[in-house]
Amino acid sequence: MKIGGESYRSVWVNAEDGYAVHIFDQTKLPWSLDILRLETPQQVAEAIVTMQVRGAPLIGAVAAYGLALALRIDSATPAMERDAAMLAETRPTAINLRWAIERMLTRLRNTLPADRVRVAYEEAGAICDEDVAQNEAIGRHGVALIQQIAESKRARGSDEPVRILTHCNAGWIATVDWGTALAPIYMAHDQGTDLHVWVDETRPRNQGAALTAWELGSHGVGHTVVSDNAGGHLMQHGKVDMVIVGTDRVTRNGDVANKIGTYLKALAAHDNDVPFYVALPSTTIDWSVGDGLRDIPIEERSAREVTHIVGRDSDGKMAAVQVTPDGTDAANPAFDVTPARLVTGLLTERGVCDASREGLLALFPERNTGS
Ligand code: MRU
């Protein structure tokens, strides 16, 4: 994506800088655009745990580079396996992280230690390039959905924009480029479709208010941030034409894990006949799991993310402000699972399908093992 006329990806390495891994520090956005330079797998793990880097596809890509950094320090098999496990354990819900590490290991286990650094950078680079291509394809398929809605609104004599609600941040900063849920929005906007985005603030960490609003604003896409509790009300009053969200893991039956609060939006959308789409690259599908509620591990994060809100004061300094009485207990499940029955369609790089085993297998027939 372009920021101030310059094109960026969300992760990059270059020879001039010794192949260190570069990311934007997402905990500083939208107030400043700080670039972090990571040199060790421990620094990569720390950046993922503290959510300086976040978003399912992006943490997979960054962890892949983290393994390349690890191999520069020690390319022997025991160290490689240890560091791969350490990186894979940084966050439990997003399957892309484990997928990327497994893909790296599959290639590296068949590579001589002396060649592993080169091969690891090559493979991590391929993961990044494929993520960009997949998200671009998601965007193209999603544009068609947005345009269908625009046409049906016009046919009903409406001159209003297409109003899309999104939750959390599934934009370019959560992937290597383009984003998943936001890719169709960027493309439709670039093609001249009149649209407006309702951005859920997404407590407790406010990825919507901070990151999605920043992304959309930088791209010139009209948007309004709403409190997480507003979506149902907006839908009841006919102010939402469609919902598009991203996801951290989709089961082979079409259940969807995404940022906490997604399920409530899906329920409200279902009750109000608002189409609810989930955008994902196929790297987010966990074919080994059927029942999302039972089998997807949900990350529990620090209570402090709930008891405190991070913002910027009038002097421009970032600060965490406490919003609960001293000593209040707080729980912080970071994701929830939306059952497939509430999902109108899964928007993938191969097109849109039903959120069901049959729907997914129709798009990914190579996954049909007959069981
Ligand atoms: O905890 P986060 O900010 O990493 O959660 C991110 C989300 O829930 C996104 O919707 C998901 O990872 C998809 S990003 C393309």
Side-chain angles (χ1 to χ4, degrees), residues 51 54-57 91 168-170 174-175 180 207 246-248 258-259 335:
M51 294 178 62
R54 49 151 294 285
R91 294 193 75 188
C168 195
N169 171 263
T175 62
T180 57
Q207 288 95 327
T247 167
D248 288 76
N258 192 46
K259 182 52 55 192
F335 299 94

Side-chain angles (χ1 to χ4, degrees), residues 179-202:
T180 57
L182 296 195
I185 291 173
Y186 288 131
M187 285 187 199
H189 169 83
D190 292 350
Q191 291 171 16
T193 304
D194 189 16
L195 47 84
H196 191 88
V197 184
W198 296 112
V199 179
D200 283 350
E201 61 175 348
T202 319

Side-chain angles (χ1 to χ4, degrees), residues 3 64 73 123 162 188-189 239 244 263 305 350:
I3 315 174
I73 298 164
E123 197 65 14
V162 177
H189 169 83
K239 293 183 174 171
I244 315 181
Y263 169 54
E305 293 180 350
R350 294 199 190 167

